[in-house]
Coordinates of all heavy atoms in Angstrom, one line a residue:
A162 N -15.7 -13.6 -24.6 CA -15.9 -13.3 -23.2 C -14.9 -12.1 -22.8 O -15.3 -11.2 -22.1 CB -15.4 -14.4 -22.4
V163 N -13.6 -12.2 -23.4 CA -12.7 -11.1 -23.2 C -13.2 -9.8 -23.7 O -13.0 -8.8 -23.2 CB -11.3 -11.5 -23.6 CG1 -10.3 -10.3 -23.3 CG2 -10.9 -12.7 -22.8
Q164 N -13.7 -10.0 -25.0 CA -14.0 -8.7 -25.8 C -15.1 -8.0 -25.1 O -15.2 -6.7 -25.2 CB -14.4 -9.1 -27.2 CG -14.6 -7.9 -28.1 CD -13.4 -7.2 -28.5 OE1 -12.2 -7.6 -28.4 NE2 -13.5 -6.0 -29.0
W165 N -16.1 -8.7 -24.6 CA -17.3 -8.1 -24.0 C -17.0 -7.8 -22.4 O -18.2 -7.5 -21.8 CB -18.5 -9.0 -24.3 CG -18.8 -9.0 -25.8 CD1 -18.5 -8.0 -26.7 CD2 -19.7 -9.9 -26.3 NE1 -19.0 -8.4 -27.9 CE2 -19.8 -9.6 -27.7 CE3 -20.4 -11.1 -25.9 CZ2 -20.5 -10.3 -28.7 CZ3 -21.2 -11.8 -26.9 CH2 -21.2 -11.4 -28.2
G166 N -16.0 -8.0 -21.9 CA -15.7 -7.7 -20.5 C -16.1 -8.9 -19.5 O -16.4 -8.6 -18.4
Y167 N -16.1 -10.1 -20.1 CA -16.6 -11.2 -19.1 C -15.5 -12.1 -18.9 O -15.7 -13.4 -18.9 CB -17.7 -12.0 -19.8 CG -19.0 -11.1 -19.9 CD1 -19.5 -10.6 -21.1 CD2 -19.9 -10.9 -18.7 CE1 -20.6 -9.8 -21.2 CE2 -21.0 -10.0 -18.8 CZ -21.3 -9.5 -20.0 OH -22.5 -8.7 -20.1
R168 N -14.2 -11.7 -18.9 CA -13.1 -12.5 -18.8 C -13.2 -13.4 -17.6 O -12.7 -14.7 -17.7 CB -11.8 -11.6 -18.8 CG -10.6 -12.4 -18.8 CD -9.4 -11.6 -18.9 NE -8.1 -12.3 -19.1 CZ -7.0 -11.9 -19.6 NH1 -7.0 -10.6 -19.9 NH2 -6.0 -12.7 -19.7
S169 N -13.5 -12.8 -16.3 CA -13.6 -13.6 -15.1 C -15.0 -14.1 -14.9 O -15.3 -14.6 -13.7 CB -13.0 -12.8 -14.0 OG -13.7 -11.6 -13.9
H170 N -15.9 -14.0 -15.8 CA -17.3 -14.3 -15.6 C -17.5 -15.8 -15.4 O -17.0 -16.6 -16.4 CB -18.1 -13.8 -16.7 CG -19.6 -13.6 -16.3 ND1 -20.4 -14.6 -16.2 CD2 -20.3 -12.4 -15.9 CE1 -21.7 -14.2 -15.9 NE2 -21.6 -12.9 -15.7
Y171 N -18.1 -16.3 -14.4 CA -18.2 -17.7 -14.2 C -19.0 -18.4 -15.2 O -18.6 -19.6 -15.7 CB -18.8 -18.0 -12.7 CG -18.8 -19.4 -12.3 CD1 -17.7 -20.0 -12.2 CD2 -20.0 -20.1 -12.1 CE1 -17.6 -21.4 -11.7 CE2 -20.1 -21.4 -11.7 CZ -18.8 -22.0 -11.4 OH -18.9 -23.3 -11.1
A172 N -20.1 -17.7 -15.7 CA -20.9 -18.3 -16.7 C -20.1 -18.5 -18.1 O -20.3 -19.5 -18.6 CB -22.2 -17.5 -17.1
A173 N -19.3 -17.5 -18.4 CA -18.5 -17.7 -19.6 C -17.5 -18.8 -19.5 O -17.3 -19.7 -20.4 CB -17.7 -16.5 -19.9
V174 N -16.8 -19.0 -18.4 CA -15.9 -20.1 -18.2 C -16.5 -21.5 -18.2 O -16.2 -22.4 -19.0 CB -15.2 -19.9 -16.9 CG1 -14.3 -21.1 -16.6 CG2 -14.3 -18.7 -16.8
L175 N -17.7 -21.5 -17.5 CA -18.4 -22.8 -17.5 C -19.1 -23.1 -18.8 O -19.2 -24.3 -19.3 CB -19.6 -22.8 -16.3 CG -20.1 -24.2 -15.9 CD1 -18.9 -25.0 -15.4 CD2 -21.1 -24.0 -15.0
G176 N -19.6 -22.1 -19.6 CA -20.3 -22.4 -20.8 C -19.2 -22.8 -21.9 O -19.4 -23.8 -22.6
N177 N -17.9 -22.4 -21.7 CA -16.9 -23.0 -22.8 C -16.6 -24.4 -22.4 O -16.5 -25.1 -23.4 CB -15.6 -21.9 -22.5 CG -14.4 -22.4 -23.4 OD1 -14.8 -23.0 -24.5 ND2 -13.3 -22.1 -23.2
L178 N -16.4 -24.7 -21.1 CA -16.2 -26.0 -20.7 C -17.3 -27.0 -21.1 O -17.1 -28.1 -21.5 CB -15.8 -26.2 -19.3 CG -14.5 -25.4 -18.8 CD1 -14.3 -25.4 -17.3 CD2 -13.3 -25.8 -19.6
T179 N -18.5 -26.6 -20.8 CA -19.6 -27.4 -21.0 C -19.8 -27.8 -22.5 O -20.3 -29.0 -22.8 CB -20.9 -26.8 -20.3 OG1 -20.6 -26.6 -19.0 CG2 -22.0 -27.8 -20.5
T180 N -19.5 -26.8 -23.3 CA -19.7 -27.2 -24.8 C -18.8 -28.2 -25.1 O -19.3 -29.2 -25.9 CB -19.2 -25.9 -25.5 OG1 -20.1 -24.8 -25.2 CG2 -19.4 -26.1 -27.1
G181 N -17.6 -28.3 -24.8 CA -16.7 -29.4 -25.1 C -17.1 -30.8 -24.5 O -17.2 -31.8 -25.1
I182 N -17.5 -30.7 -23.2 CA -17.9 -31.8 -22.5 C -19.2 -32.5 -23.2 O -19.4 -33.8 -23.4 CB -18.2 -31.6 -21.0 CG1 -16.9 -31.2 -20.4 CG2 -18.8 -32.8 -20.2 CD1 -17.1 -30.8 -18.9
A183 N -20.2 -31.6 -23.4 CA -21.4 -32.2 -24.1 C -21.1 -32.7 -25.5 O -21.7 -33.7 -25.8 CB -22.4 -31.1 -24.1
M184 N -20.3 -32.0 -26.2 CA -20.1 -32.6 -27.5 C -19.2 -33.9 -27.6 O -19.4 -34.8 -28.3 CB -19.2 -31.4 -28.2 CG -19.0 -31.9 -29.8 SD -18.1 -30.7 -30.7 CE -16.4 -30.7 -29.8
L185 N -18.1 -33.9 -26.7 CA -17.4 -35.2 -26.6 C -18.2 -36.3 -26.0 O -17.7 -37.5 -26.4 CB -16.2 -34.9 -25.6 CG -15.1 -34.0 -26.1 CD1 -14.0 -33.7 -25.1 CD2 -14.4 -34.4 -27.5
S186 N -19.4 -36.1 -25.4 CA -20.1 -37.3 -25.0 C -20.7 -38.1 -26.2 O -21.1 -39.2 -26.0 CB -21.3 -36.8 -24.1 OG -22.2 -35.9 -24.8
F187 N -20.8 -37.4 -27.3 CA -21.2 -38.1 -28.5 C -20.2 -39.0 -29.3 O -20.6 -39.6 -30.3 CB -21.8 -37.0 -29.5 CG -23.1 -36.5 -29.1 CD1 -23.1 -35.3 -28.3 CD2 -24.3 -36.9 -29.6 CE1 -24.4 -34.8 -27.9 CE2 -25.5 -36.4 -29.2 CZ -25.5 -35.2 -28.3
Y188 N -19.1 -39.1 -28.7 CA -18.0 -39.9 -29.4 C -18.1 -41.1 -28.5 O -17.4 -41.5 -27.7 CB -16.6 -39.4 -29.1 CG -15.5 -40.1 -29.8 CD1 -15.5 -40.1 -31.2 CD2 -14.6 -40.6 -29.1 CE1 -14.5 -40.9 -31.8 CE2 -13.6 -41.4 -29.7 CZ -13.5 -41.4 -31.1 OH -12.5 -42.2 -31.7
H189 N -19.3 -41.9 -28.9 CA -19.6 -43.1 -28.1 C -20.5 -44.0 -29.0 O -21.2 -43.4 -30.0 CB -20.5 -42.7 -27.0 CG -20.7 -43.6 -26.0 ND1 -21.5 -44.8 -25.9 CD2 -20.0 -43.9 -24.6 CE1 -21.3 -45.5 -24.9 NE2 -20.5 -44.9 -24.2
E190 N -20.4 -45.2 -28.9 CA -21.1 -46.1 -29.8 C -22.6 -46.0 -29.5 O -23.5 -46.3 -30.4 CB -20.5 -47.5 -29.5 CG -19.2 -47.8 -30.0 CD -18.8 -49.2 -29.9 OE1 -19.5 -50.1 -29.2 OE2 -17.6 -49.6 -30.3
D191 N -23.0 -45.8 -28.2 CA -24.4 -45.7 -27.9 C -24.9 -44.3 -28.1 O -24.6 -43.4 -27.2 CB -24.6 -46.2 -26.5 CG -26.1 -46.4 -26.1 OD1 -26.9 -46.0 -26.9 OD2 -26.5 -47.1 -24.9
V192 N -25.7 -44.1 -29.1 CA -26.2 -42.7 -29.2 C -27.1 -42.2 -28.2 O -27.1 -41.1 -27.9 CB -26.9 -42.7 -30.7 CG1 -27.5 -41.3 -31.0 CG2 -25.9 -43.1 -31.8
E193 N -28.0 -43.2 -27.8 CA -28.9 -42.7 -26.7 C -28.2 -42.4 -25.4 O -28.5 -41.5 -24.8 CB -29.8 -43.9 -26.4 CG -30.9 -43.7 -25.5 CD -31.8 -45.0 -25.1 OE1 -31.7 -45.9 -25.8 OE2 -32.6 -44.9 -24.2
E194 N -27.0 -43.1 -25.1 CA -26.4 -42.7 -24.0 C -25.7 -41.4 -24.2 O -25.5 -40.6 -23.2 CB -25.2 -43.8 -23.6 CG -24.4 -43.6 -22.5 CD -25.3 -43.8 -21.2 OE1 -26.3 -44.5 -21.2 OE2 -25.0 -43.3 -20.1
S195 N -25.2 -41.0 -25.3 CA -24.7 -39.8 -25.6 C -25.7 -38.6 -25.2 O -25.3 -37.6 -24.7 CB -24.3 -39.7 -27.0 OG -23.2 -40.6 -27.4
W196 N -26.8 -38.7 -25.8 CA -27.8 -37.8 -25.6 C -28.2 -37.6 -24.2 O -28.4 -36.5 -23.5 CB -29.2 -38.1 -26.3 CG -29.1 -37.6 -27.8 CD1 -28.9 -38.4 -28.9 CD2 -29.2 -36.2 -28.4 NE1 -28.9 -37.8 -30.0 CE2 -29.1 -36.5 -29.7 CE3 -29.4 -35.0 -27.8 CZ2 -29.1 -35.2 -30.6 CZ3 -29.6 -34.0 -28.6 CH2 -29.3 -34.1 -30.1
K197 N -28.3 -38.7 -23.5 CA -28.6 -38.8 -22.0 C -27.5 -38.0 -21.2 O -27.9 -37.2 -20.3 CB -28.7 -40.1 -21.7 CG -29.3 -40.3 -20.1 CD -29.2 -41.8 -19.7 CE -30.3 -42.6 -20.4 NZ -30.5 -43.9 -20.0

Side-chain angles (χ1 to χ4, degrees):
V163 175
Q164 186 71 16
W165 293 343
Y167 296 102
R168 181 169 187 164
S169 59
H170 203 282
Y171 188 62
V174 176
L175 198 63
N177 184 24
L178 298 177
T179 306
T180 300
I182 293 174
M184 183 180 64
L185 289 175
S186 65
F187 285 85
Y188 188 64
H189 198 280
E190 293 182 357
D191 191 346
V192 177
E193 182 180 352
E194 185 67 24
S195 299
W196 280 102
K197 185 182 296 184

